[in-house]
Amino acid sequence: MCLTKILSATARLACLLMIGLLMPASFVCAASDSAKVIHAAVQKHGRVDAKPAVIALVSMDEVLPDCQQQVTVTKVKTVAYSESGMTPEKIGVDWLGAKLDIATNVGENPVLSLEEIQAANQFIQVGKRYLIHFQLCAEGSQRSLINMYAEHMAPTRPVRKLKT
């Protein structure tokens, strides 16, 4: 039962991402000025948590036509931070048997507020699994995060009162 819920949540995220990739280029091209930190209410121990959790970072960079788009579900192995320690600049992941560093674009993004940068910092955690959409440019030497989704997120459902 639990495994089916996890698989179905992961499958939904993958489907949503693939729909975005298959849409016409005019809709898919996400400019860096449209970056968003997505929050949602999360259930813990059968109750909805009062503080919404970050579940995704979307449109962190512009999708470039000359770059290869890649999607993977993997654990974050390392996080490299800015000098202040507040901004995650790069994440290290295992991809196709090799360690790959991907720029997060969190600090370079002009539309993210200080609160959103802090939320992104708390969202990206070493050892946690994510569905990651990134691009490889210039023969793989430049790697840039486009979207990042939490793999395990229990969806919230409104509480229904049964009539007796």
Side-chain angles (χ1 to χ4, degrees), residues 117-159:
I117 291 171
Q118 290 171 338
N121 185 7
Q122 292 174 352
F123 172 67
I124 300 172
Q125 298 175 10
V126 171
K128 190 172 175 185
R129 290 178 61 85
Y130 300 91
L131 187 142
I132 300 173
H133 169 209
F134 64 99
Q135 62 187 351
L136 299 170
C137 302
E139 297 179 16
S141 63
Q142 296 175 346
R143 300 165 207 106
S144 180
L145 181 68
I146 305 296
N147 302 303
M148 186 172 184
Y149 301 92
E151 185 187 44
H152 300 289
M153 197 231 23
T156 60
R157 294 185 180 159
V159 178

Side-chain angles (χ1 to χ4, degrees), residues 7-115:
L7 290 176
S8 65
T10 302
R12 282 193 303 264
L13 284 174
C15 287
L16 287 173
L17 186 57
M18 293 310 294
I19 289 169
L21 291 173
L22 297 175
M23 291 175 70
S26 61
F27 294 106
V28 175
C29 290
S32 62
D33 63 350
S34 64
K36 292 183 178 74
V37 175
I38 308 297
H39 295 80
V42 177
Q43 284 186 358
K44 289 185 180 177
H45 309 292
R47 294 188 188 174
V48 176
D49 200 2
K51 183 179 176 188
V54 175
I55 59 165
L57 303 176
V58 296
S59 302
M60 298 308 293
D61 197 6
E62 180 179 346
V63 176
L64 302 173
D66 295 335
C67 297
Q68 270 189 332
Q69 304 300 305
Q70 302 294 331
V71 177
T72 185
V73 175
T74 188
K75 283 184 183 181
V76 169
K77 299 288 185 183
T78 60
V79 180
Y81 293 94
S82 62
E83 286 184 29
S84 68
M86 190 175 88
T87 307
E89 290 185 338
K90 290 184 180 182
I91 56 172
V93 299
D94 285 336
W95 186 65
L96 300 177
K99 184 180 184 277
L100 187 72
D101 289 324
I102 303 169
T104 64
N105 306 310
V106 172
E108 293 81 27
N109 215 300
V111 298
L112 294 179
S113 68
L114 182 59
E115 290 172 345

